Amino acid sequence: MRCAEVALEEVQRAVAAPIASISLRDWPGDFPRDIATQRRPPHESRADSIMYREVLAEAAAARGWTIARFDARHVERRARELLGARADEVLDGPRARLGPPWNADHRIALAATVVLALTGPPSS
């Protein structure tokens, strides 16, 4: 948790505008909490990333940021629908301009940001 708090503080200092939200890939709400269960298939391959996202969400919420969880399988399609004719420019433009290491993970994160910016925070 301390590392997440320090990292989010660094991000906040690095950007000019206040941060209002963070978008995180969704995780199952019923993921097991018991460490012994998490260490067994099929959970062991996902436990670290889920726990990391949970800690990031908790640290961001403590800063007053909105947490937007997104479905990585569908968020890019939704962003393309919202952007219309500008979709290729917005979502694929960074790869064309920056090259590697910009990859699909970055594009999905950008798509999640676009969806949040154009539709507003999720309703609780």
Side-chain angles (χ1 to χ4, degrees), residues 98-116:
L98 302 172
W102 187 272
N103 62 35
D105 291 334
H106 298 104
R107 188 179 61 247
I108 290 170
L110 177 56
T113 302
V114 166
V115 170
L116 179 62

Side-chain angles (χ1 to χ4, degrees), residues 8-120:
L8 293 181
E9 179 63 33
E10 288 178 16
V11 169
Q12 180 66 65
R13 281 195 312 266
V15 298
I19 295 175
S21 66
I22 184 172
S23 295
L24 297 170
R25 186 168 49 92
D26 203 7
W27 61 91
D30 62 350
F31 195 78
R33 294 286 193 219
D34 176 63
I35 298 294
T37 303
Q38 289 178 354
R39 295 181 70 184
R40 292 192 306 264
H43 307 297
E44 87 285 20
S45 65
R46 298 176 24 205
D48 287 345
S49 66
I50 289 172
M51 289 186 292
Y52 182 65
R53 282 177 271 160
E54 290 173 332
V55 167
L56 274 176
E58 185 178 336
R63 301 178 78 74
W65 298 356
T66 297
I67 312 305
R69 292 166 56 166
F70 65 90
D71 182 339
R73 294 169 298 176
H74 304 289
V75 73
E76 185 176 351
R77 178 185 46 77
R78 179 68 177 131
R80 288 185 181 281
E81 290 170 357
L82 292 166
L83 290 166
R86 295 185 52 222
D88 289 344
E89 173 192 345
V90 172
L91 297 176
D92 299 323
R95 171 69 181 191
R97 286 188 302 279
L98 302 172
W102 187 272
N103 62 35
D105 291 334
H106 298 104
R107 188 179 61 247
I108 290 170
L110 177 56
T113 302
V114 166
V115 170
L116 179 62
L118 297 179
T119 63

